[in-house]
Amino acid sequence: MNQNKLTLQLADFMSVECNPDGTKDGWGVEFGESVRDALSQQVNAHPEIDIFEISFKGIKRIDVSFPREAVLYLAKLKAGKQGFVLTDLQTRTQIENIDGGVHRLDFAANLIVSDDIQNISLGADCIVNGNHIILGKPSKTNRPLVEYVLRKNGAPTSEIAKEFDLQVNNASNKLKQLVDEGFLLRKEQSAATGGVEFYYYPIK
Amino acid sequence: MLISNLHFENKWYNASEFEELYAQSANPFHPTCEKFHIIIEQRTGMLMDSILRLLCLCNQLVAVKKIVILQFNGNINLNNTYSYFNRCGFFDNLDIDVDVIPCVPGSSLAKIYNGNSQTLVEIAPIKTQPDKQDLSIPSKLCNRLMANIGIDDDDFSNELFTILGELCDNVWQHSNSVSPGFACLQFYRRTKKIIITVSDSGIGLLNSLRPHLATNYPELVKASDHDLVMTMFRDGLSSKPLETGRGAGLSRSAKYALAHNMHLHLRTSNLSVTLIPASTEYQANVAEFQNEPNHLNGTHISFEFTLNNLKV
């Protein structure tokens, strides 16, 4: 199933003096909130978009508060409707600071990282699928479902239920929880048996 | 008239030594005290964290209508502290009602040479009024330090930026004061020591947290200041509703500081502590809590480290 995507450059929403090398830095709650407000306007102007790629190109440094306020909080508000994947992160520290916000907000962050950052040690509270990293820890019983959807790059409820020997409504509840926690998105599609069912897919 | 005195002798003072000396003075905030008289000798030396505390102390006292006299002894042309205060911007940020003896410098060396020192980033005021936030402060401090210490490491630069950004943001978020906070950075070339320090004159970090403990962390309602401080730096605490996700900034900063063997000094209104790295966390048994420091409003945090101890 194809998803509609749009790339937004986070630096374009940051009204701050550039560093001598032309990059920008983001820090603090207030600044994060102001960027979120600007970003929200763009997001709200595109209800047809399933996944927004938020590029950190041109952003040199961030603290813990800024990405949480600017992006993660917005992603949480849009959970289940639209997804956000963070791209073009430069350093391990940027990822660790984003992780700080994930842990506190109790909402997953989806990242696409380059090969040289891919191998950094992030601990157990993340799911790695190639260069797609999800910061966050699903429950022990739900984690295999996320990993399955990532491996298959998407799957309907019925297939997932069959794979894990679950009743469909039980699988549906678990998957809905994963959507609410930011690990997956879902769309309605026609079911093989007639009627509609949800199709779950990664946010990348 | 009750006068409280603070006499700096011909020696160097870091934050701990400042507190030890200040603890010997009568509380200048006491209602019976009308005047606070500070003497700085010709060969007194003060590290940046003690300088910012002195600055905040002077400004806080004149704000409550105390007479404050800041006296520089000896020939001011030979008084190193006097010229250093001029160079770092101390006088530029000192309340005009502080009586400086013999006089305030005729011109500000901080303004003349702003940004031109390889080892000093001048005192930057952190304004707390809405729409007055200076977003450039952490970047400028960080850029200057990275340019001067000869380390090209993007992760270390971001770790340093995190510490600076979170400290500055705490002034904005928690000081509850119209008086500005201050940030400063000093690189001491001979010892290769670096001190990052942020001070404010607000209600203090722990006083900001305590009213919200019952809601956010009921298990900590009866915790001592000592235990609150350790929890704050280890796990993070927030005065805001938990669903906002806030409260991780200081603990993350402490994590980075630990990785580089930084010593952490925290001073609030009735607590002064130095946290020393031990293994993977700042531990209570290697923290130095100073008993009953003299009264000083606000939160004063400094990170101190040496180039040789950096893990880059």
Side-chain angles (χ1 to χ4, degrees):
Chain A
M1 176 178 283
N2 289 329
Q3 288 85 39
N4 294 322
K5 294 182 184 177
L6 179 65
T7 299
L8 299 174
Q9 305 287 339
L10 191 61
D12 291 344
F13 299 88
M14 294 166 66
S15 295
V16 67
E17 195 177 318
C18 288
N19 291 308
D21 62 2
T23 60
K24 292 182 179 178
D25 296 329
W27 67 277
V29 171
E30 302 280 335
F31 186 34
E33 285 177 346
S34 73
V35 170
R36 182 173 80 223
D37 288 344
L39 197 51
S40 286
Q41 289 186 21
Q42 270 299 300
V43 168
N44 292 338
H46 293 281
E48 77 284 5
I49 298 297
D50 300 308
I51 295 175
F52 290 91
E53 291 181 357
I54 307 297
S55 169
F56 278 64
K57 204 170 187 181
I59 297 175
K60 187 185 183 94
R61 294 171 293 215
I62 53 175
D63 68 352
V64 178
S65 301
F66 176 79
R68 182 192 65 230
E69 298 298 327
V71 183
L72 299 184
Y73 202 75
L74 178 60
K76 188 171 182 178
L77 287 174
K78 294 289 186 180
K81 304 185 193 75
Q82 292 167 304
F84 294 78
V85 59
L86 282 55
T87 63
D88 298 314
L89 294 158
Q90 314 288 325
T91 61
R92 165 188 53 80
T93 312
Q94 287 183 339
I95 297 176
E96 286 184 355
N97 285 349
I98 292 168
D99 188 49
V102 163
H103 180 67
R104 286 276 164 170
L105 267 184
D106 207 16
F107 189 79
N110 288 268
L111 282 50
I112 302 293
V113 299
S114 60
D115 291 341
D116 53 347
I117 296 183
Q118 199 176 325
N119 294 324
I120 65 170
S121 171
L122 287 170
D125 290 1
C126 69
I127 301 172
V128 180
N129 187 36
N131 65 347
H132 177 203
I133 294 176
I134 308 178
L135 299 175
K137 194 174 178 183
S139 69
K140 210 170 170 181
T141 53
N142 284 352
R143 187 180 177 114
L145 277 67
V146 178
E147 289 171 339
Y148 180 81
V149 172
L150 293 185
R151 267 199 319 274
K152 299 298 293 287
N153 204 30
T157 311
S158 53
E159 178 186 321
I160 298 167
K162 188 177 174 188
E163 171 70 19
F164 292 95
D165 198 25
L166 296 168
Q167 297 289 323
V168 168
N169 58 350
N170 188 8
S172 192
N173 288 338
K174 288 175 176 296
L175 290 162
K176 173 71 168 58
Q177 185 180 7
L178 288 169
V179 168
D180 290 342
E181 291 171 350
F183 292 96
L184 301 171
L185 280 174
R186 68 180 189 177
K187 267 188 177 180
E188 278 188 349
Q189 67 173 18
S190 302
T193 54
V196 293
E197 68 173 340
F198 280 112
Y199 178 89
Y200 293 86
Y201 57 97
I203 305 172
K204 65 171 189 174
Chain B
M1 176 190 287
L2 181 64
I3 302 173
S4 176
N5 296 292
L6 182 63
H7 189 166
F8 292 93
E9 296 177 9
N10 287 313
K11 66 185 278 286
W12 277 90
Y13 291 84
N14 60 19
S16 297
E17 287 154 341
F18 170 92
E19 296 295 345
E20 278 175 24
L21 182 68
Y22 179 43
Q24 296 169 34
S25 302
N27 179 5
F29 290 91
H30 196 275
T32 60
C33 179
E34 294 187 28
K35 187 188 282 190
F36 188 48
H37 190 174
I38 306 152
I39 294 174
I40 295 179
E41 294 294 346
Q42 189 156 310
R43 291 192 310 278
T44 299
M46 294 178 73
L47 295 184
M48 188 47 70
D49 46 4
S50 58
I51 290 173
L52 284 197
R53 290 178 199 203
L54 181 65
L55 175 61
C56 288
L57 179 58
C58 290
N59 289 349
Q60 289 173 24
L61 285 168
V62 293
V64 293
K65 307 299 182 203
K66 307 290 186 182
I67 298 167
V68 178
I69 297 171
L70 180 58
Q71 178 177 328
F72 294 87
N73 277 356
N75 184 339
I76 57 164
N77 293 319
L78 301 175
N79 189 309
N80 289 335
T81 300
Y82 184 87
S83 82
Y84 186 70
F85 276 20
N86 190 11
R87 181 63 188 85
C88 74
F90 179 94
F91 293 113
D92 299 318
N93 291 287
L94 186 66
D95 193 295
I96 196 170
D97 286 330
V98 174
D99 188 6
V100 178
I101 295 173
C103 58
V104 173
S107 57
S108 165
L109 294 182
K111 286 179 182 167
I112 292 170
Y113 297 110
N114 189 16
N116 286 339
S117 167
Q118 288 191 337
T119 58
L120 167 69
V121 182
E122 293 81 12
I123 295 172
I126 304 170
K127 292 179 183 163
T128 56
Q129 293 92 334
D131 299 328
K132 297 267 187 203
Q133 194 179 27
D134 184 350
L135 292 171
S136 69
I137 293 175
S139 299
K140 282 180 180 165
L141 291 175
C142 210
N143 288 339
R144 289 279 299 284
L145 180 62
M146 293 304 294
N148 289 310
I149 63 176
I151 292 174
D152 183 16
D153 186 297
D154 289 339
D155 273 308
F156 176 65
S157 175
N158 204 147
E159 289 166 359
L160 203 62
F161 179 82
T162 303
I163 293 171
L164 286 161
E166 295 295 344
L167 291 185
C168 290
D169 200 44
N170 269 339
V171 174
W172 183 261
Q173 295 295 324
H174 296 293
S175 73
N176 272 13
S177 170
V178 296
S179 301
F182 301 106
C184 195
L185 188 151
Q186 173 79 63
F187 174 36
Y188 298 91
R189 276 199 183 278
R190 189 179 63 80
T191 57
K192 296 201 188 313
K193 181 187 289 189
I194 295 153
I195 296 179
I196 301 166
T197 189
V198 175
S199 287
D200 70 62
S201 293
I203 64 172
L205 208 50
L206 296 184
N207 289 334
S208 172
L209 277 171
R210 279 209 179 271
H212 307 280
L213 288 180
T215 307
N216 290 349
Y217 314 98
E219 71 278 11
L220 293 175
V221 166
K222 294 189 177 160
S224 64
D225 284 352
H226 166 291
D227 287 339
L228 264 191
V229 165
M230 302 310 295
T231 305
M232 189 171 64
F233 284 114
R234 187 184 58 234
D235 304 324
L237 295 172
S238 177
S239 59
K240 307 297 177 188
L242 293 180
E243 57 268 21
T244 62
R246 288 161 69 166
L250 275 184
S251 58
R252 183 65 57 154
S253 298
K255 176 176 174 288
Y256 293 143
L258 271 167
H260 297 294
N261 286 307
M262 296 185 189
H263 289 202
L264 198 162
H265 305 277
L266 168 68
R267 171 40 149 131
T268 62
S269 53
N270 51 5
L271 173 79
S272 177
V273 60
T274 299
L275 302 182
I276 299 166
S279 186
T280 58
E281 62 177 5
Y282 288 112
Q283 292 184 353
N285 61 343
V286 290
E288 296 169 5
F289 282 84
Q290 287 177 304
N291 293 324
E292 300 179 11
N294 210 341
H295 188 79
L296 176 64
N297 292 324
T299 303
H300 309 267
I301 301 182
S302 57
F303 287 78
E304 181 184 319
F305 56 103
T306 57
L307 285 187
N308 298 338
N309 286 339
L310 293 179
K311 300 281 191 291
V312 292

